[in-house]
Amino acid sequence: LSTLPLLTMVVGAALGSEALTARKSLGVVIAMLGVALALLSGLTFAPAGAWRGDLLMVGAALCMALYSIWSKPFIARSGPIRFTTMAMGVGAACLIVLACWRGSFAPVAEFGIPQWLAATYLGAFGSALTFYLWAFALARTTPTRVAISVTVNPVAASLVGAVLLHEPLSWNLVGGIVTVFAGIWIATTPGRWPRPATQP
């Protein structure tokens, strides 16, 4: 999903929801390069045919870009809480119907406490809180500025892996972190500081 900021910026400009500026474009590209740099060592272990999963992720990023752009008027009208509640309710209903149709509820009968705790965490924090914060941000700024925050995800995951799983903290991860935050800063700040008003 690191392509989400770029797709959101391009689609947003094509649909006329926000202007395409050189500084914002540069910041998005730099942030994406930071993600690529941070994940550089993991690319050598990609299995054969991994491009299919990458293609699906690009499609998912395109869907999320359209969601971020088209949902802004609805968020402004109903507010982040009501919008998130309705969106998650409709999504959950669709998933329940699909799971019943495919018989995907069978493993739930064998769930223990760890599985239910994991499901609760994913539902409360990984879904509800995340989508609420996403809607809260969309109500206050442009879709590209919201989407560029996604570039922090793989970097944060690598840092957590280094702390909890004792994965090596490589030079490319450190460089990727610096590059990602530099790109976010460039994309979300004005190019020049406003000049102070002169006294007559």
Side-chain angles (χ1 to χ4, degrees):
L1 286 175
S2 59
T3 57
L4 177 60
L6 179 62
L7 289 173
T8 303
M9 181 178 65
V10 173
V11 173
L15 296 178
S17 66
E18 60 178 305
L20 184 65
T21 64
R23 183 178 178 87
K24 183 165 57 179
S25 303
L26 177 63
V28 168
V29 171
I30 289 175
M32 291 178 58
L33 288 175
V35 174
L37 179 61
L39 302 179
L40 186 63
S41 59
L43 296 178
T44 57
F45 302 102
W51 61 271
R52 297 183 181 89
D54 295 336
L55 190 60
L56 288 173
M57 291 302 293
V58 171
L62 178 59
C63 292
M64 192 63 186
L66 293 171
Y67 170 87
S68 299
I69 293 166
W70 287 340
S71 64
K72 277 184 69 70
F74 301 100
I75 296 172
R77 185 174 63 186
S78 60
I81 292 180
R82 282 189 290 178
F83 176 83
T84 303
T85 302
M86 181 61 67
M88 291 199 65
V90 172
C94 293
L95 288 175
I96 290 172
V97 171
L98 185 62
C100 290
W101 176 53
R102 296 183 58 89
S104 301
F105 276 116
V108 177
E110 301 179 1
F111 275 14
I113 293 179
Q115 289 76 22
W116 283 115
L117 287 176
T120 302
Y121 170 80
L122 288 175
F125 296 97
S127 297
L129 181 60
T130 300
F131 275 97
Y132 166 73
L133 292 175
W134 193 271
F136 182 86
L138 282 174
R140 288 160 174 78
T141 187
T142 63
T144 300
R145 285 187 169 184
V146 178
I148 200 172
S149 64
V150 172
T151 56
V152 179
N153 289 1
V155 174
S158 298
L159 286 175
V160 172
V163 174
L164 298 182
L165 303 178
H166 306 290
E167 295 179 353
L169 191 63
S170 57
W171 65 268
N172 56 296
L173 176 59
V174 177
I177 293 172
V178 174
T179 307
V180 164
F181 282 102
I184 292 175
W185 179 80
I186 292 172
T188 57
T189 56
R192 296 179 180 177
W193 295 104
R195 295 181 179 179
T198 56
Q199 298 292 333

